[in-house]
Amino acid sequence: MIINIIDRQLNFLGQMDEFESFMPAKKYYGIGGFELHTYENARYALDLQKENIIFTSADKAYIILYRHISSITGKLVIKGMELKGYFKRWLVFPPPGEAYYRVNDRTETIIKTYVQSTLNRKGIANIEVALDRKRGIKTVYQSRYKNLASEIEKIGKVSGLG
C-alpha cells in the first residue's frame, strides 16, 4: 500500500511505502480516523505534519492531527481523522435573508445541500460533492449555526444513511 501526502493547498509532497502499520477506522454515522506507525527516518516522514492530508485512494483521505516521535526508538506515530472531519470545524449558515437553512427533500439531498453550501461559502472549489442519488426518506430539515458534522450525523441516523 502506498500513502500519498499532500498539504492543505493540495500540493503533492510525496508517497510513502515504508511503514509498520496503517490502521483506518471507519464509522457508519460519524467521522472515522486512522493510526500510522513508521520511523522518523522513513522517506517523507518529515511531511507527516499536523494538518497535512494523507490518502490511499481517491475516496480514502485523512487529516493528520497528532504526531509523536519516541526519542528512544525513533518510532513515529501519526493519528488523525477522515477528511470529512473538517465538517466538525464548520457551521451550517442559513442562506442570506433567511433565519434557517430549511430543505424539504430526501435526506441525502439535504446532507449534500448543506455540504455544498458550506464549501461555496468558504470558497472551496477544488472539492467535489458526489452525485446526489436522492437516497433516504423524504423529510423537512432546518438548521442554523449548528455544527455541520453533528447535523449530518443526526440526519444520517434518522434516515439510516451512513
Side-chain angles (χ1 to χ4, degrees):
M1 174 188 295
I2 293 175
I3 296 175
N4 299 285
I5 308 165
I6 60 176
D7 62 20
R8 284 188 65 177
Q9 290 71 42
L10 307 182
N11 297 308
F12 182 74
L13 302 175
Q15 289 184 323
M16 172 178 262
D17 61 357
E18 300 174 49
F19 53 90
E20 279 187 1
S21 64
F22 175 70
M23 299 163 282
K26 195 111 172 98
K27 289 191 177 178
Y28 191 69
Y29 293 114
I31 297 167
F34 78 94
E35 188 166 319
L36 171 67
H37 292 240
T38 188
Y39 288 93
E40 66 178 326
N41 60 354
R43 191 170 184 202
Y44 298 109
L46 286 175
D47 293 315
L48 296 172
Q49 298 293 329
K50 288 181 183 180
E51 296 299 323
N52 279 352
I53 299 166
I54 63 170
F55 63 95
T56 55
S57 66
D59 61 344
K60 304 238 186 286
Y62 306 89
I63 309 159
I64 297 171
L65 298 175
Y66 172 86
R67 175 186 169 93
H68 175 75
I69 300 172
S70 169
S71 59
I72 297 168
T73 63
K75 191 172 191 176
L76 176 61
V77 176
I78 304 293
K79 296 180 185 180
M81 64 183 161
E82 292 178 302
L83 191 62
K84 64 184 177 181
Y86 281 120
F87 297 166
K88 286 184 171 184
R89 302 175 181 183
W90 299 339
L91 300 177
V92 175
F93 278 78
E98 301 290 326
Y100 287 88
Y101 203 141
R102 183 181 171 96
V103 183
N104 180 2
D105 213 323
R106 301 258 176 207
T107 47
E108 179 181 11
T109 304
I110 295 168
I111 291 169
K112 289 183 175 179
T113 298
Y114 285 167
V115 170
Q116 188 62 60
S117 173
T118 302
L119 292 172
N120 292 346
R121 183 176 53 77
K122 296 199 145 297
I124 301 171
N126 49 6
I127 294 179
E128 185 176 308
V129 176
L131 180 68
D132 186 358
R133 295 186 184 157
K134 305 272 185 198
R135 293 176 284 198
I137 60 173
K138 184 154 170 97
T139 189
V140 177
Y141 196 86
Q142 67 181 20
S143 182
R144 73 183 231 146
Y145 309 118
K146 291 188 179 176
N147 181 275
L148 180 59
S150 297
E151 293 295 271
I152 289 172
E153 188 172 340
K154 279 186 215 171
I155 295 166
K157 283 180 176 177
V158 167
S159 68
L161 290 177

